[in-house]
Amino acid sequence: KGMGIAFSSRKKKKNMTVGLTDEVERSNSGHHVLPLKQADAEEAFGVMFWRVLDLSMTHLWDPEKMFEKLVIVASTLFDYGVRSEHLPAVGQSMHDALHHILALPCGGCGKDEWTAQITQAWAWLWKLVVNGLANRIDSKQAEHPRLAMESWEHIKKTRTDVEVGDALFSELAREAPMVLHLFKRPKKLQAYMFMQAIDTLVAFAKAPKEFFDGLRNFTILHIKYGVKSEYVKPFGKALMHGLEALAGDSWTPEVKDAWETVWQCLSSCVARSLNTGTNLITVSLVNGDLSKMEEAAECAPRGERISWMTEVELNGTVSSPLYWAIREGKLPIATFMLRDILAIRADRELYYYGREKLFDTHPDLVTVLVDECPDLVFTLLDGLIWYSQTVIDGKLNVNYYIKELYGDPLNWSDAWKSPLGVLSINGSPSMFQHPVLNMVVDLKWDRFAGKIFKGIQALMGVLIVLVCCSLLIWSCDCSTNMVVVRYVTGGYAATLLLVMSWILGLQLYTGRTFKMSTTRWTPALPVPRMLTSAWNSIRYIALLLVAVVALSDECRLSEDQKTRCKAPNADGEHAVSWMSVWVAVAVALLWIQTCQVATMSQQLGALCHAIGRLFKQIVLNLVLVFICVLAFSSALSALQHPGFQQLDDAIVAVVRIALSLASEDELAMDGWPLVFLIFFIIIVHTSLLLVLVAQVVKGYATLYNDQAGNSRKSKALQCVEVESFLSLSRRQKYYEEFNFDDPVPFDSGDVGPPGGFQRLEHAAIRATEYYEPDRIERSTGTASALEPWPSSNSEERLD
């Protein structure tokens, strides 16, 4: 109260309260803080410095990070009247308050928990806090941000971008010639980048929080350029000299102090980020040098080697060198890193295997690889399997480390977003020929998916029997028994329809959808995941039609009101009603959906998949054929040739001609109609249809080569679809049955890392391209996590 800070007015109190809300809410402290909107001025003042104390303790072991946070808070403190001369008194007040709190529980017994050591420790901590706060507060009090901004605006008005770039480049050549190799771009572009750099410096002076929020990307960008922390200091000297030359007479001592203060604060943060983010791995990535990457990996302590490959800290945020390599298109380096992480190494005490660390730091690894670098999926799968080289009774042990590919339901509540879901949607058929993915699919199919799939087919089989009996064989039988059967059929279909509708609604409600747009101009609409399968769409339509037709009892209607079971007219003709068409469509769809059973066979499943893939190509070609039919039908109708006068009659006749079903009268043409007909036959028969046949044959040949992969992929899609219907608790129960956290042995008495299970496979597996016998790299040297692994040509390594 005696410091003279203007907290008394209601307006100031309101502004302070609103301005500090975000700062306090970002605190990770579990302590209760009085809501600021209800706090008076004194309480708000206490909350401000509680925040200062909390972030200081949070980053106690990282003073440079603490300094960055204090710079941000100092700006807020300055805006509400705090000055550097107030800080000692604030520190003493907080010291006394903490002393009182800690002493209070034992005050009655005379035992004071506050010791002289605590007093010294508090003095040391508050000195750090004061240094961080005072520099920024004094800088704002001296109006350094305003002076720097006005100076820069003056330079931009009086100098061109090229002049600024030339001045700074000349100073760099004089002060820091070692950094000139970084500036290889065209002169104008380099001048633009200099301008952007100084704009960043000025923005930091005005709003440090926004700068720190973007510091991670800023650091990554400059590491990629090859900037090192030791370049920061000479660059700063060149910058100051260049700005002085550009400012001319406006470069006063006050302006100089402003620029130097701002640069000192910013440069320390940038240098720190470059230091933490630059190591042998990142340097190798910047240079794109695979040999340097291999040397860097061999220098890493064996206990940290995997961490070097999987994470690097940049301004408090962990980034992935592996993703860096992938997104920079450095495939050889990314391949090496992934193989090195998934290599199994052993010394005399421990096994080192990076599978768990890899997926912990890259939970979306499968998605990234499938979308951005599919070739690396095979490298990943190769690293998740181990083959024994010992054959016993015609079999050998194989370890499948598939914990993450199987997917913990607690981490993947939406089965379609799990690793197997991503692979089944976007993966190539060749991926599903890998034994690791085969094992994942087989586990899910044998445990639950196959049983549920067979149950669904059985339910649809019962419906087909009921439909055939009630709507086909005895469709017009109005006996009581058949009426009951039709009602049972309709009720059965309606029940299945309601179940499917409930699942579709649940998927829409929970956001388990995919976006679908018919054209590029129409907005994408959410469609339930269940309808990604054509089989489910067919079932839904068939159930709807059967329910409508079967529950429409025509036996209650008069002869005139009937639609399907109406007697023939006087000429013996039977009119086809819409109800009959619905029955025909429903029955056809019900029988078509039974083709999904064929996916249980590899050969039939591959054939069904091939037909489905080729259907789109066939439809596109038939669209062109239909356009030609319309064109020539219109032409023949315009010529008023007999039998072609009306457009609808002309279309039917031309279609019959295209299918070689036309009568002699329809083909009896001469003159211009004959000319148009000849052109039609040449275009449709010789061009479009023959081209379609060639495309279908070629497309099927391509799909036939991947028939095993296509069949396995279809099976994987069914597994994911079934899993998406199950409750989370049931999925978790199935997952825990596999005991993925138990260690997996290599050989008898040799217990290896967890994350999978062991299975006996036939020795014929050695003839496959994936077989690599006992890929463990064993070392007989020092068994210390602090020591690097022996190099590949070392005598201490036994392969």
Side-chain angles (χ1 to χ4, degrees):
K1 290 182 179 180
M3 291 190 292
I5 303 175
F7 285 138
S8 58
S9 69
R10 292 180 61 85
K11 182 178 180 181
K12 193 70 175 182
K13 178 168 61 178
K14 179 181 179 181
N15 291 340
M16 179 187 66
T17 299
V18 175
L20 288 173
T21 300
D22 293 339
E23 287 294 332
V24 176
E25 288 181 350
R26 281 193 295 268
S27 174
N28 294 325
S29 173
H31 300 282
H32 172 72
V33 190
L34 190 65
L36 286 178
K37 291 184 179 180
Q38 303 174 12
D40 59 18
E42 293 181 1
E43 289 171 337
F45 179 75
V47 168
M48 269 202 308
F49 280 98
W50 173 265
R51 169 65 180 160
V52 172
L53 179 62
D54 183 60
L55 68 86
S56 300
M57 297 305 299
T58 301
H59 302 287
L60 183 62
W61 303 109
D62 191 354
E64 293 176 328
K65 188 68 176 178
M66 181 200 300
F67 172 75
E68 294 177 11
K69 298 294 184 182
L70 291 175
V71 167
I72 298 173
V73 175
S75 299
T76 304
L77 294 174
F78 177 84
D79 292 340
Y80 297 111
V82 178
R83 299 296 180 262
S84 58
E85 58 265 24
H86 300 148
L87 297 179
V90 173
Q92 185 61 44
S93 299
M94 295 182 72
H95 171 276
D96 294 342
L98 292 174
H99 187 183
H100 175 72
I101 292 170
L102 288 177
L104 187 60
C106 293
C109 62
K111 293 182 179 179
D112 191 347
E113 296 183 18
W114 190 274
T115 65
Q117 281 186 316
I118 295 179
T119 298
Q120 294 175 357
W122 174 254
W124 168 80
L125 174 62
W126 190 250
K127 184 178 179 181
L128 291 178
V129 173
V130 169
N131 289 338
L133 294 176
N135 291 337
R136 177 63 178 172
I137 290 174
D138 290 343
S139 177
K140 292 203 69 172
Q141 189 170 2
E143 297 186 322
H144 287 161
R146 181 185 63 80
L147 291 172
M149 290 173 61
E150 290 177 353
S151 173
W152 178 234
E153 290 300 323
H154 171 73
I155 291 173
K156 289 199 291 185
K157 289 179 180 178
T158 58
R159 305 285 186 171
T160 65
D161 292 0
V162 175
E163 288 177 332
V164 174
D166 288 343
L168 294 179
F169 190 82
S170 298
E171 292 298 331
L172 278 174
R174 186 170 63 86
E175 293 284 349
M178 77 288 294
V179 304
L180 293 181
H181 68 281
L182 302 175
F183 302 93
K184 301 177 181 178
R185 302 195 177 188
K187 185 176 181 180
K188 289 186 178 180
L189 179 58
Q190 199 64 66
Y192 170 79
M193 296 179 67
F194 277 130
M195 299 290 288
Q196 291 294 106
I198 302 178
D199 282 337
T200 301
L201 180 59
V202 173
F204 169 77
K206 181 180 179 182
K209 183 182 182 304
E210 284 73 13
F211 171 80
F212 287 125
D213 289 343
L215 183 56
R216 173 181 174 272
N217 293 333
F218 180 85
T219 304
I220 291 176
L221 180 63
H222 284 75
I223 289 176
K224 291 178 180 178
Y225 288 154
V227 178
K228 301 178 181 179
S229 59
E230 55 263 31
Y231 296 166
V232 173
K233 185 175 181 180
F235 182 83
K237 289 183 178 180
L239 179 63
M240 292 301 110
H241 290 156
L243 290 173
E244 181 178 2
L246 292 167
D249 295 338
S250 65
W251 187 262
T252 64
E254 292 77 12
V255 172
K256 178 181 179 183
D257 289 342
W259 279 108
E260 289 180 347
T261 302
V262 173
W263 172 253
Q264 182 181 5
C265 183
L266 179 141
S267 62
S268 62
C269 300
V270 172
R272 169 186 174 273
S273 296
L274 290 173
N275 271 328
T276 57
T278 303
N279 55 33
L280 295 175
I281 298 294
T282 56
V283 170
S284 304
L285 278 172
V286 168
N287 296 327
D289 192 331
L290 179 58
S291 61
K292 293 293 183 183
M293 175 64 71
E294 294 171 349
E295 293 175 4
E298 290 187 352
C299 292
R302 64 187 65 177
E304 300 177 15
R305 180 164 176 157
I306 296 169
S307 296
W308 281 27
M309 298 284 187
T310 55
E311 54 188 357
V312 57
E313 183 179 351
L314 296 170
N315 194 43
T317 304
V318 176
S319 298
S320 167
L322 176 61
Y323 283 173
W324 184 346
I326 291 173
R327 286 161 182 161
E328 288 288 315
K330 297 171 181 176
L331 184 58
I333 291 181
T335 303
F336 166 78
M337 295 175 72
L338 194 55
R339 286 176 178 168
D340 195 80
I341 294 168
L342 294 175
I344 303 177
R345 299 183 176 89
D347 55 25
R348 293 179 297 169
E349 294 184 0
L350 293 173
Y351 279 101
Y352 295 83
Y353 183 36
R355 173 198 55 79
E356 186 173 5
K357 180 73 172 179
L358 175 65
F359 283 100
D360 284 346
T361 54
H362 303 76
D364 59 342
L365 178 64
V366 172
T367 302
V368 171
L369 294 185
V370 170
D371 292 342
E372 301 184 28
C373 195
D375 288 344
L376 283 181
V377 173
F378 298 96
T379 305
L380 172 66
L381 297 177
D382 289 341
L384 300 178
I385 193 169
W386 171 85
Y387 297 92
S388 174
Q389 62 182 358
T390 304
V391 178
I392 301 177
D393 296 332
K395 294 187 176 181
L396 54 84
N397 289 324
V398 180
N399 291 1
Y400 297 91
Y401 296 96
I402 58 173
K403 176 183 177 180
E404 288 76 17
L405 288 186
Y406 186 97
D408 187 342
L410 295 180
N411 298 329
W412 305 104
S413 58
D414 185 353
W416 289 104
K417 295 181 180 179
S418 67
L420 184 60
V422 171
L423 286 164
S424 62
I425 295 173
N426 299 320
S428 65
S430 57
M431 295 177 184
F432 287 87
Q433 298 186 41
H434 198 285
V436 170
L437 270 186
N438 279 344
M439 183 55 60
V440 176
V441 174
D442 288 343
L443 282 182
K444 295 194 175 189
W445 181 265
D446 295 339
R447 184 62 188 89
F448 58 85
K451 300 173 184 176
I452 296 175
F453 174 77
K454 294 172 185 176
I456 293 173
Q457 297 301 322
L459 291 174
M460 298 304 296
V462 171
L463 180 63
I464 290 175
V465 173
L466 290 173
V467 169
C468 289
C469 293
S470 62
L471 300 180
L472 295 182
I473 300 176
W474 296 286
S475 60
C476 297
D477 187 344
C478 290
S479 64
T480 303
N481 290 337
M482 288 314 303
V483 170
V484 171
V485 171
R486 273 192 288 277
Y487 276 121
V488 169
T489 302
Y492 185 77
T495 302
L496 295 180
L497 183 66
L498 287 175
V499 172
M500 288 190 71
S501 299
W502 178 79
I503 295 174
L504 293 175
L506 183 63
Q507 291 184 344
L508 279 173
Y509 178 75
T510 57
R512 299 179 184 181
T513 60
F514 69 98
K515 298 293 184 180
M516 185 180 72
S517 177
T518 54
T519 67
R520 67 175 66 182
W521 300 281
T522 57
L525 299 176
V527 178
R529 283 285 185 186
M530 188 179 187
L531 297 182
T532 56
S533 170
W535 305 112
N536 289 330
S537 300
I538 291 173
R539 289 191 191 101
Y540 194 82
I541 296 172
L543 289 173
L544 179 62
L545 294 175
V546 170
V548 171
V549 173
L551 294 177
S552 301
D553 185 11
E554 292 199 352
C555 292
R556 298 182 294 104
L557 305 177
S558 64
E559 190 67 25
D560 293 336
Q561 293 175 319
K562 289 182 180 180
T563 57
R564 294 187 59 242
C565 298
K566 194 172 184 178
N569 57 24
D571 297 330
E573 297 177 350
H574 192 290
V576 178
S577 66
W578 280 108
M579 195 69 74
S580 299
V581 174
W582 291 355
V583 173
V585 173
V587 173
L589 292 178
L590 284 175
W591 281 109
I592 289 173
Q593 65 87 32
T594 61
C595 294
Q596 192 180 16
V597 179
T599 59
M600 298 178 64
S601 165
Q602 179 172 307
Q603 289 75 20
L604 292 178
L607 178 61
C608 289
H609 181 80
I611 293 174
R613 290 282 300 274
L614 295 173
F615 182 75
K616 180 179 179 181
Q617 190 174 2
I618 293 173
V619 169
L620 292 176
N621 279 270
L622 290 180
V623 167
L624 295 178
V625 173
F626 181 68
I627 292 174
C628 290
V629 169
L630 289 178
F632 286 97
S633 299
S634 301
L636 293 173
S637 178
L639 294 173
Q640 291 294 299
H641 184 76
F644 293 82
Q645 289 91 341
Q646 300 297 323
L647 181 59
D648 54 346
D649 294 335
I651 292 174
V652 173
V654 170
V655 169
R656 290 171 57 85
I657 292 172
L659 297 177
S660 300
L661 299 176
S663 63
E664 293 183 2
D665 294 337
E666 291 172 329
L667 295 175
M669 296 183 183
D670 56 10
W672 283 107
L674 181 60
V675 173
F676 277 98
L677 180 63
I678 292 173
F679 272 107
F680 172 75
I681 293 175
I682 292 175
I683 293 175
V684 173
H685 274 271
T686 308
S687 301
L688 293 179
L689 293 181
L690 291 181
V691 169
L692 173 60
V693 172
Q695 288 178 337
V696 169
V697 171
K698 184 178 180 180
Y700 181 75
T702 302
L703 292 173
Y704 181 82
N705 294 331
D706 286 333
Q707 63 172 340
N710 286 320
S711 176
R712 302 295 296 189
K713 185 176 179 179
S714 298
K715 198 171 184 179
L717 281 167
Q718 294 166 28
C719 289
V720 177
E721 181 184 343
V722 169
E723 188 174 7
S724 67
F725 301 154
L726 302 178
S727 66
L728 187 62
S729 58
R730 191 174 180 186
R731 291 172 57 199
Q732 188 65 26
K733 177 185 176 183
Y734 292 145
Y735 174 79
E736 292 174 353
E737 288 178 357
F738 295 109
N739 299 316
F740 285 128
D741 292 329
D742 293 344
V744 182
F746 289 115
D747 291 311
S748 179
D750 185 9
V751 179
F757 66 94
Q758 187 175 89
R759 173 170 290 189
L760 275 174
E761 301 284 2
H762 196 278
I765 200 173
R766 294 178 297 174
T768 65
E769 60 180 304
Y770 306 105
Y771 178 69
E772 181 183 352
D774 193 14
R775 64 183 185 88
I776 302 173
E777 301 174 10
R778 301 184 183 274
S779 173
T780 60
T782 304
S784 172
L786 301 178
E787 294 290 331
W789 290 106
S791 61
S792 56
N793 57 357
S794 173
E795 295 180 359
E796 294 183 354
R797 173 164 294 184
L798 300 178
D799 292 328

